[in-house]
Amino acid sequence: SAVSKCPEVPFSSEAYRISATSRGKELRLTLAPLGPGTPQDLVFRFGMSGSFRLCPAGQLPRHAHLRFLTRESPPRALCFVDARRFGSWRLGGAWQPGRGPCVLSEYQAFRENVLKNLDDKAFDKPICETLLNQKFFNGIGNYLRAEILYRLKIPPFEKARTVLEALKDQEQARRKKNSSLTLSKKLKLMRENPDLLELCHTVPMEVIAAEKNLFDPDHSDNYAAFKNWLQCYLVPGMSSLRDRNGRTIWFQGEPGPMAPKGQASRRKRTRLKADPEALTPKVATRISKRRPKAAAKAPKPAEDEEEEVAARPRRGCSHGRRKVTAAPTLSEPEAPVKAKRSLRTAARRGRGEAAGP
């Protein structure tokens, strides 16, 4: 695509095969010629909206940034589609450095990598933020962290080290208790009483096992199945807060001791909207910005931040905005104006002056 900022792919072949391998949040494509030629590897990151689609070459979707064409008639195209352009690809087959073992394909290595590095500063943060650290949780994203913490009833803003250090003791106790059990019974106990690291493996596996039944936005019935699978993320009645990275975490119950100060959950804000008398007018909100003490007493919900940024006046336009917002605060403007005119007229008549037009 002409608008893509990713590198050109220096590969050409009359016939080739595409194979794929995934690791965490990355996907490696290998383009292998069926005749003479050198294979080409590409490693993709999907961002928030990246995906692959196979479609007729004459009906390419918008934002199809890379296209592989078939030789059939009419041809089809395998497209990397990314509307928001957060995704990317790079040449070569090396995985991005700094990413830990995959939660799916390298579970034991993933588990050991977490438990042996609990003194790392990454575990000083709330567990909801640590779960997005790809150095230790390669493959866990925003909706997965919400589902995992919800199932275990762990407050999202509990300290990560506090949550994970408890797993060491549990693991040692489990090994002693289950030393005489068969492998099948051990697996059964694990499924019945999973810990956080085990759910980092099994919850994504549920999504993969369901395959297209969960993920297909082009077919509303299938996409509805994914929404029904979600137990916490975007589910009505759940609370939400923004973490320190600006990502929204969905949860139920108390947020935990490390929750950001000065935020109201989205669910609570919905309650306020239901009561019109409890709402604060926008005029009062803007005036409070000029009075820091008043603003400090009534912190603004996090969801209002985007609206406030969008409504914030640009440089050079602030005076006009202030006049527009200040006007509604005047009450019954006609009466004072008429009263002043009548007083001036009476004074002129008392001095024998002619009244103005």
Side-chain angles (χ1 to χ4, degrees), residues 215-220 223:
F215 289 103
D216 192 354
D218 293 334
H219 297 82
S220 58
Y223 191 62

Side-chain angles (χ1 to χ4, degrees), residues 17-84:
R17 177 181 292 110
I18 301 178
S19 57
T21 306
S22 65
R23 183 177 186 267
K25 285 192 171 185
E26 295 181 294
L27 182 77
R28 180 169 60 210
L29 292 190
T30 300
L31 316 179
L34 298 181
T38 304
Q40 174 69 60
D41 288 320
L42 304 169
V43 175
F44 287 80
R45 294 173 62 188
F46 291 88
M48 295 181 69
S49 61
S51 65
F52 278 98
R53 295 189 197 175
L54 185 63
C55 57
Q59 301 175 17
L60 294 177
R62 294 184 63 190
H63 312 291
H65 297 301
L66 188 62
R67 304 178 284 274
F68 304 95
L69 301 177
T70 66
R71 293 187 65 186
E72 59 192 329
S73 183
R76 289 183 296 168
L78 177 65
C79 306
F80 177 64
V81 182
D82 185 15
R84 305 182 81 173

Side-chain angles (χ1 to χ4, degrees), residues 154-173:
I154 296 175
F157 291 94
E158 183 64 67
K159 191 173 184 178
R161 188 177 290 106
T162 302
V163 174
L164 294 167
E165 278 184 340
L167 299 188
K168 283 187 173 181
D169 300 333
Q170 293 175 11
E171 193 171 67
Q172 291 175 358

Side-chain angles (χ1 to χ4, degrees), residues 302-315:
E303 286 71 26
D304 285 342
E305 291 177 4
E306 289 183 3
E307 298 172 9
E308 186 66 25
V309 170
R312 191 173 296 158
R314 294 172 295 178
R315 290 182 179 178

Side-chain angles (χ1 to χ4, degrees), residues 255-310:
M258 299 182 73
K261 306 298 182 183
Q263 286 193 41
S265 74
R266 188 169 298 179
R267 181 173 61 87
K268 291 179 180 177
R269 186 165 175 261
T270 303
R271 287 179 182 173
L272 289 174
K273 279 190 173 182
D275 181 9
E277 296 181 0
L279 289 173
T280 303
K282 289 187 177 181
V283 174
T285 303
R286 296 189 178 183
I287 291 174
S288 66
K289 289 171 69 177
R290 303 172 199 166
R291 300 176 182 174
K293 292 183 180 179
K297 291 180 182 177
K300 183 173 53 181
E303 286 71 26
D304 285 342
E305 291 177 4
E306 289 183 3
E307 298 172 9
E308 186 66 25
V309 170

